[in-house]
């Protein structure tokens, strides 16, 4: 068996990945983990002892990581931290237990502001106190998962207002010196480069993204070149291999040159924070150096498999991050797919593009194919022109990194920064240009597990057929006389079966997997956001806003649309002009053109103050219609009936109330009530009675569960199988009110709450499927 070490490492890595996946399913199950959202139960500061593992910056604020966590009972420490009790000790022990159970081993500590404290040194033993909180898990499909991101970095929570109670003098001098060197290098880059480009260079060379412009990061991501900001194999090639070859040419023997180059790269990785991609690249470099010393050849795939197995087994939390899988997916593309493409398309590649350009296309295409389902899994969309853009960017990156290293390390060479500035601005211009092209982004949504598995099966089949074609061409005797071959044989023996396999793999990922009929109540905190969908792809939005969460339009609504591959809204309904129903819609309209979201129409109730900003974003081509009771909006398979308002009322009382009915064989209806209450609710009751509407499948509870809405008189008129309450966790209004919950429970309706369940998706066949 060839490559026995490779297959053993792959088998162990698969087992470790399955264990990681199973533990997440068991621990979380797709719901909000109990006791791991926000602050732990109880009040007051917590005390932790541990070792300072590293330091970083967040904007202008510096923080450190505390690892080897423990809780030592010390009455002197209790006194210094301010009246801590035995209950606090139990809470601290509980938090440490929770952190370790999530495959993390450290917490993030922010020093109390204006306290005159100095940052502890790396490696020192400290005892600290502060207000502890967990990172939030995402509660909506597509939303950024802060807890998962930090968990992939082995960080289980953060301690704010940290006070250092005890600090040892002993520390790790090497790591502290490397951190000081990183800070010095970062300051030198800040002085040499303009602010925007300095943030890019700090991320690219030092792994420090604190100064990276958010808009520029999105531009790079849309262009498909975000990977250039990560420390990866290109850095190792330039710095590590370059240093090794230089030492050899200087006459240093093989062993000392390999050891010295390996030590330099290891120190560089520690200085830059040893990200996932850096850990993988530096680890593979060390294996290569070890092979050089042993007189062996380091195989790319075997080295990658050893690092994959080691990282998943020793640090399984790394497997939760997108960078981990994209990094190894790229290696898979280069090590497995690229040799097949080069062998199968050797003659055609040279004739069509020339040797160098053809090699670039083959390498870029191999990485693109290998990572495509992973990119869609984590980002839900992919730049269709990224392959061509990387042909420009990747060759120029050698110049950018080399000159950046020189400017960073050697004082007084700031002039060398300007070629890098010009290249980085060229990258930005190219990404912006690509965004203006038609079909610049392909957004099929998040693929399912069976699609990803099917894709790689079809990809493997296609590559096997291409390899067979290449071997047959090699074995074919070359003769001067041309042989007549039938069209059928050309198709069967040529590369076309392999290309067909690749095309089928693409088509599999393009299949819509969430074309279902039903409603989605997104968790926007204290606010409302409802999406109504049909299996034919039609989609409508009813409200989106929040008073407790910022940027819900971008971070929640647009993320959900991308996750499900929704690029068009057939209509947007606004119940009234309060911020907790409107703020996200204003964001949506502001970003719709940039994000390529098509909105067909906007529907409003009677005029209210607060619509000015929204209407200013509509433009001349978007139809805007004001609705009143009695209006009907019909589509092929759905109908909206306006039940309220009949006339202009106050913001809450005049909320737009809709009955959504499916014109299909399923008896599925939804009543959307905004914040209607008081006089408005009495008018709504009269309209329901006049139309004979007494049963609905889903009721959106008005005003987030306020006791002044969804009165007993209203519940006497309407029966709902499911009632959904949208409100924020621990909100200051006390929503949902206990009196209301009692009324609903006595009405025998099933109650679902976004503050407890996160996003709630109810499909029209929920009685059959359980969703």
């Amino acid at each position: 068996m060839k490559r026995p070490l490779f297959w053993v490492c792959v088998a162990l890595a698969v087992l470790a990945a399955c264990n990681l996946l199973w533990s997440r399913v068991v621990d979380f199950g797709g719901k909000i983990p109990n006791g791991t959202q926000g602050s732990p139960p109880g009040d007051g500061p917590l005390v932790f002892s541990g070792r300072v593992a590293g330091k970083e910056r967040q904007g202008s604020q510096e923080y450190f990581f505390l690892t080897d966590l423990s809780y030592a009972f010390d009455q002197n420490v209790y006194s210094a931290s301010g009246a801590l009790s035995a209950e606090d000790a139990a809470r601290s022990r509980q938090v440490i237990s929770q952190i370790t159970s999530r495959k993390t081993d450290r917490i993030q500590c922010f020093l109390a502001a204006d306290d005159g404290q100095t940052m502890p040194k790396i490696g020192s033993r400290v005892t600290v106190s502060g207000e502890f909180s967990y990172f939030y898990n995402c509660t909506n499909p597509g939303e950024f998962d802060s807890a998962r991101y930090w968990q992939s970095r082995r960080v289980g929570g953060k301690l704010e207002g940290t006070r250092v109670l005890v600090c040892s003098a002993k520390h790790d001098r090497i790591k502290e010196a490397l951190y000081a060197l990183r800070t010095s290098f970062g300051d030198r880059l800040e002085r040499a480069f303009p602010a925007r480009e300095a943030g890019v260079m700090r991320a690219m060379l030092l792994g420090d993204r604190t100064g990276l412009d958010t808009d520029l990061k999105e531009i790079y991501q849309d262009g498909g070149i975000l990977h250039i900001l990560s420390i990866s194999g290109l850095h190792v090639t330039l710095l590590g291999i370059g240093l090794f070859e230089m030492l050899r040419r200087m006459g240093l023997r093989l062993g000392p040159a390999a050891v010295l180059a390996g030590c330099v790269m290891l120190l560089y990785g520690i200085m830059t924070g040893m990200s996932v991609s850096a850990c993988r690249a530096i680890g593979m470099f060390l294996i290569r150096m070890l092979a050089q010393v042993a007189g062996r050849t380091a195989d790319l795939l075997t080295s990658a498999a050893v690092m994959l197995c080691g990282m998943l087994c020793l640090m399984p939390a790394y497997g939760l991050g997108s960078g981990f899988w994209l990094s190894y997916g790229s290696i898979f593309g280069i090590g497995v797919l690229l040799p097949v493409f080069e062998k199968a398309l050797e003659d055609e590649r040279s004739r069509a593009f020339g040797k160098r350009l053809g090699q670039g296309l083959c390498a870029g295409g191999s990485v693109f194919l290998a990572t495509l389902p992973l990119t869609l899994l984590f980002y839900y969309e992919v730049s269709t022109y990224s392959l061509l853009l990387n042909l420009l960017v990747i060759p120029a990156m050698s110049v950018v990194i080399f000159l950046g290293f020189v400017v960073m390390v050697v004082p007084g060479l700031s002039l060398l920064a300007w070629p890098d500035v010009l290249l980085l601005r060229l990258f930005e211009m190219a990404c912006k240009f690509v965004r203006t092209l038609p079909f610049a982004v392909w957004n099929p949504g998040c693929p399912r597990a069976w699609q990803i598995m099917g894709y790689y099966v079809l990809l493997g089949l296609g590559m096997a057929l291409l390899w067979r074609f290449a071997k047959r061409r090699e074995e074919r005797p070359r003769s001067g006389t041309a042989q007549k071959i039938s069209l059928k044989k050309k198709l069967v023996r040529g590369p076309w079966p392999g290309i067909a396999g690749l095309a089928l793999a693409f088509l599999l990922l393009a299949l819509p997997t969430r074309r279902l009929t039903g409603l989605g109540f997104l968790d926007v905190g204290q606010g409302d956001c409802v999406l109504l969908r049909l299996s034919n792809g039609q989609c409508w939005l009813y409200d989106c806003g929040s008073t407790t969460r910022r940027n819900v339009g971008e971070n929640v609504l647009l993320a959900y649309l991308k996750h499900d591959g929704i690029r068009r809204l057939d209509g947007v309904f606004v119940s009234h002009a309060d911020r907790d129903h409107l703020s996200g819609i204003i964001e949506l309209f502001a970003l719709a053109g940039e994000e390529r979201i098509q909105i067909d129409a906007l529907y409003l109730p009677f005029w209210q103050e607060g619509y000015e900003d929204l209407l200013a974003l509509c433009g001349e081509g978007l139809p805007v219609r004001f609705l009143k009771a009695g209006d009907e909006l019909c589509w092929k398979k759905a109908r909206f009936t306006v039940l309220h308002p009949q006339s202009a009322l106050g913001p809450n009382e005049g909320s737009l109330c809709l009955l959504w009915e499916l014109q299909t064989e399923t008896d599925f209806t939804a009543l959307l009530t905004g914040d209607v209450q008081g006089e408005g609710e009495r008018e709504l009751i009269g309209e329901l009675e006049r139309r004979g509407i007494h049963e609905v499948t889903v009721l959106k509870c008005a005003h987030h569960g306020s006791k002044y809405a969804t009165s007993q008189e209203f519940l006497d008129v309407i029966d709902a199988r499911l009632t959904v309450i949208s409100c924020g966790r621990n909100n200051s209004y006390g929503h949902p009110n206990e009196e209301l919950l009692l009324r609903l429970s006595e009405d025998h309706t099933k109650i679902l709450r976004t503050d407890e369940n996160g996003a709630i998706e109810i499909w029209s066949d929920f009685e059959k499927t359980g969703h």
Side-chain angles (χ1 to χ4, degrees):
M1 181 177 66
K2 294 182 178 180
R3 293 195 178 104
L5 180 58
F6 169 80
W7 291 110
V8 170
C9 289
V10 167
L12 291 175
V14 169
L15 291 176
C18 290
N19 177 63
L20 178 65
L21 178 64
W22 173 251
S23 66
R24 279 190 62 81
V25 170
V26 170
D27 291 344
F28 304 110
K31 298 182 180 179
I32 304 173
N34 294 325
T36 58
Q37 290 282 105
S39 302
D43 297 320
L46 299 181
V47 174
F48 300 97
S49 295
R51 176 176 54 84
V52 178
K55 295 188 283 192
E56 289 188 9
R57 288 183 178 274
Q58 182 172 298
S60 59
Q61 191 174 13
E62 195 174 19
Y63 61 87
F64 62 92
F65 295 110
L66 192 66
T67 190
D68 295 341
L69 299 173
S70 64
Y71 185 84
F73 183 90
D74 187 337
Q75 190 61 45
N76 294 327
V77 170
Y78 269 16
S79 301
S81 57
L84 296 176
S85 63
E87 181 182 349
D88 297 322
R91 290 174 59 219
S92 297
R93 283 192 292 269
Q94 180 184 0
V95 166
I96 293 173
S97 175
Q98 185 69 55
I99 288 173
T100 54
S101 70
R102 302 186 71 188
K103 296 180 171 58
T104 54
D105 60 1
R106 56 183 64 183
I107 59 175
Q108 186 184 30
C109 301
F110 293 87
L111 288 182
D114 303 324
D115 206 12
Q117 299 184 97
T118 57
M119 183 69 63
K121 295 182 178 181
I122 299 176
S124 60
R125 300 288 306 183
V126 297
T127 299
V128 297
S129 71
E131 298 293 335
F132 179 84
S133 61
Y134 296 103
F135 298 106
Y136 277 91
N137 295 92
C138 71
T139 56
N140 298 281
E143 184 183 2
F144 175 71
D145 194 330
S146 178
R148 180 170 180 168
Y149 167 76
W150 284 108
Q151 191 178 1
S152 70
R153 297 188 60 184
R154 299 158 54 199
V155 181
K158 60 182 176 180
L159 199 68
E160 297 182 289
T162 302
R163 296 174 57 202
V164 179
L165 308 176
V166 179
C167 182
S168 68
K170 185 179 179 181
H171 62 278
D172 191 321
R173 296 181 183 276
I174 294 177
K175 289 185 178 179
E176 185 65 25
L178 288 174
Y179 179 75
L181 187 62
R182 183 189 191 190
T183 303
S184 175
F185 283 162
D187 293 340
R188 191 172 295 166
L189 291 174
E190 292 284 350
R191 292 191 297 269
F193 288 84
R196 194 172 173 89
E197 286 74 22
V200 175
M201 298 306 295
R202 286 176 68 107
M204 194 181 294
L205 302 178
L206 297 174
D208 179 9
R209 297 193 179 190
T210 55
L212 184 62
D213 186 273
T214 304
D215 293 336
L216 186 58
K217 180 182 176 182
E218 291 179 357
I219 290 171
Y220 281 6
Q221 183 172 325
D222 291 343
I225 64 169
L226 186 62
H227 59 87
I228 69 173
L229 300 179
S230 301
I231 296 172
S232 59
L234 188 57
H235 299 70
V236 172
T237 301
L238 285 173
L239 183 59
I241 302 298
L243 177 62
F244 175 73
E245 294 294 337
M246 184 182 71
L247 292 173
R248 291 288 291 149
R249 289 179 182 179
M250 291 173 60
L252 203 63
R253 288 186 299 175
L254 179 65
V259 171
L260 186 56
C263 289
V264 170
M265 288 308 302
L266 189 60
L267 291 174
Y268 175 69
I270 295 172
M271 182 185 72
T272 57
M274 198 62 82
S275 65
V276 168
S277 57
C279 183
R280 188 268 306 161
I282 292 173
M284 292 178 63
F285 173 77
L286 294 177
I287 292 174
R288 178 174 177 174
M289 292 296 99
L290 182 63
Q292 290 271 9
V293 174
R296 304 288 296 273
T297 301
D299 175 70
L300 175 69
L301 289 177
T302 302
S303 300
V306 170
M307 289 305 302
L308 175 66
C309 176
M311 292 177 71
L312 277 179
C313 292
L314 299 178
M315 296 168 287
Y318 277 165
L320 299 175
S322 59
F324 179 87
W325 298 108
L326 290 172
S327 179
Y328 281 102
S330 300
I331 294 296
F332 166 74
I334 293 172
V336 176
L337 305 188
L338 180 57
V340 178
F341 277 127
E342 288 182 333
K343 198 173 188 67
L345 306 177
E346 183 177 5
D347 296 337
E348 292 81 357
R349 181 192 67 192
S350 299
R351 286 197 299 265
F353 305 106
K355 186 174 181 180
R356 298 294 294 272
L357 183 59
Q359 286 176 342
L361 284 172
C362 284
S366 300
V367 173
F368 181 82
L369 289 174
T371 59
L372 177 59
L374 299 175
T375 302
L376 293 179
L377 177 65
F378 294 111
Y379 300 107
Y380 323 126
E381 61 183 10
V382 64
S383 171
T384 51
Y385 300 107
S386 62
L387 178 59
L388 298 177
L389 197 56
N390 276 287
L391 287 176
L392 165 69
V393 170
I394 291 178
M397 279 300 296
S398 298
V399 176
V400 173
I401 292 177
F402 176 75
L403 292 179
F405 269 125
V406 173
V407 172
M408 181 178 74
V409 175
V410 183
L413 296 180
S414 299
L415 286 177
L416 294 179
W418 286 102
D420 275 4
V421 173
L422 294 176
L423 286 172
L424 292 177
R425 290 180 179 175
L426 178 63
F427 296 168
E428 184 179 348
M429 290 171 57
C431 290
K432 288 181 177 178
F433 172 72
V434 162
R435 292 170 68 175
T436 64
L437 297 177
F439 312 109
V441 175
W442 181 43
N443 176 217
C446 182
R448 298 294 183 90
W450 62 267
Q451 284 179 293
I452 297 174
M453 294 174 64
Y455 173 88
Y456 281 117
V457 169
L458 290 172
L459 178 65
L461 177 63
M463 300 308 291
L465 292 173
L466 284 176
W467 182 260
R468 187 182 68 171
F469 159 71
K471 297 294 288 184
R472 281 181 174 177
R473 187 173 58 180
E474 279 187 349
E475 295 169 358
R476 189 187 310 157
R478 297 184 179 273
S479 61
T481 59
Q483 298 180 358
K484 289 186 177 181
I485 302 176
S486 66
L487 178 61
K488 181 179 179 180
K489 287 186 176 180
K490 282 184 177 181
L491 292 175
V492 173
R493 295 181 180 180
W496 305 111
I499 294 174
L502 301 182
L504 286 176
F506 271 100
L507 291 175
L508 185 64
L509 288 180
L511 290 176
T513 59
R514 283 175 59 85
R515 287 288 179 88
L516 300 170
T517 297
L519 298 91
F521 294 83
L522 303 189
D523 177 20
V524 291
Q526 187 66 15
D528 271 345
C529 184
V530 187
L531 279 155
L532 307 98
R533 304 169 56 178
L534 296 181
S535 58
N536 62 7
Q538 288 183 298
C539 185
W540 301 267
L541 174 66
Y542 178 84
D543 283 351
C544 181
S546 176
T547 56
T548 58
R549 298 187 61 179
R550 294 181 298 175
N551 302 327
V552 292
E554 180 179 4
N555 297 336
V556 177
L557 176 58
L558 279 173
Y560 181 87
L561 296 179
K562 286 183 180 181
H563 178 273
D564 281 12
I566 299 172
R567 311 303 297 174
R568 174 182 175 182
L569 293 174
D570 294 83
V572 174
F573 297 89
V574 180
S575 67
H576 61 294
D578 282 355
R579 181 186 169 197
D580 56 341
H581 295 254
L582 183 62
S583 63
I585 292 179
I586 293 176
E587 289 180 49
L588 170 67
F589 275 72
L591 296 171
E594 179 183 338
E595 298 291 342
R596 291 179 170 82
I597 300 293
Q598 178 183 339
I599 301 173
D600 289 351
L602 173 65
Y603 300 100
L604 305 169
F606 288 92
W607 174 263
Q608 297 177 10
E609 290 188 11
Y611 291 147
E612 298 88 349
D613 292 340
L614 177 61
L615 294 176
L617 294 168
C618 290
E620 298 180 357
L622 181 69
V624 180
R625 180 177 173 183
F626 288 88
L627 303 175
K628 64 179 184 302
D631 291 341
E632 288 190 357
L633 302 170
C634 295
W635 280 265
K636 187 175 181 180
K637 293 185 178 182
R639 178 176 65 195
F640 290 88
T641 303
V642 183
L643 303 176
H644 185 72
Q646 300 174 3
S647 59
L649 296 171
N652 289 347
E653 290 79 2
S655 292
L656 179 66
C657 299
L658 302 174
L659 178 69
W660 185 53
E661 300 172 278
L662 298 183
Q663 298 178 349
T664 60
E665 65 279 0
T666 59
D667 182 20
F668 186 89
T669 56
L671 179 57
L672 308 174
T673 56
D675 279 356
V676 70
Q677 60 186 26
E679 180 63 26
E681 186 180 273
R682 287 189 286 272
E683 290 185 6
L684 175 60
I685 291 172
E687 186 70 14
L688 290 170
E689 290 181 326
R690 188 179 70 81
R691 291 176 174 270
I693 301 172
H694 298 292
E695 290 184 358
V696 293
T697 310
V698 181
L699 168 66
K700 191 206 81 69
C701 189
H703 206 171
H704 321 292
S706 168
K707 72 175 181 179
Y708 303 109
T710 317
S711 64
Q712 188 59 54
E713 292 78 11
F714 177 81
L715 294 175
D716 289 340
V717 172
I718 197 79
D719 289 327
R721 281 184 276 176
L722 289 173
T723 298
V724 178
I725 303 173
S726 179
C727 60
R729 280 177 290 281
N730 303 317
N731 63 83
S732 59
Y733 304 96
H735 295 160
N737 183 263
E738 291 296 330
E739 294 180 22
L740 171 78
L741 294 175
L742 180 60
R743 290 200 296 267
L744 292 175
S745 62
E746 290 176 348
D747 200 54
H748 304 294
T749 180
K750 183 176 181 180
I751 303 171
L752 297 174
R753 298 165 48 175
T754 58
D755 62 327
E756 292 183 346
N757 303 95
I760 298 167
E761 294 179 307
I762 305 168
W763 308 123
S764 59
D765 58 347
F766 72 95
E767 291 183 327
K768 299 178 183 178
T769 63
H771 292 86

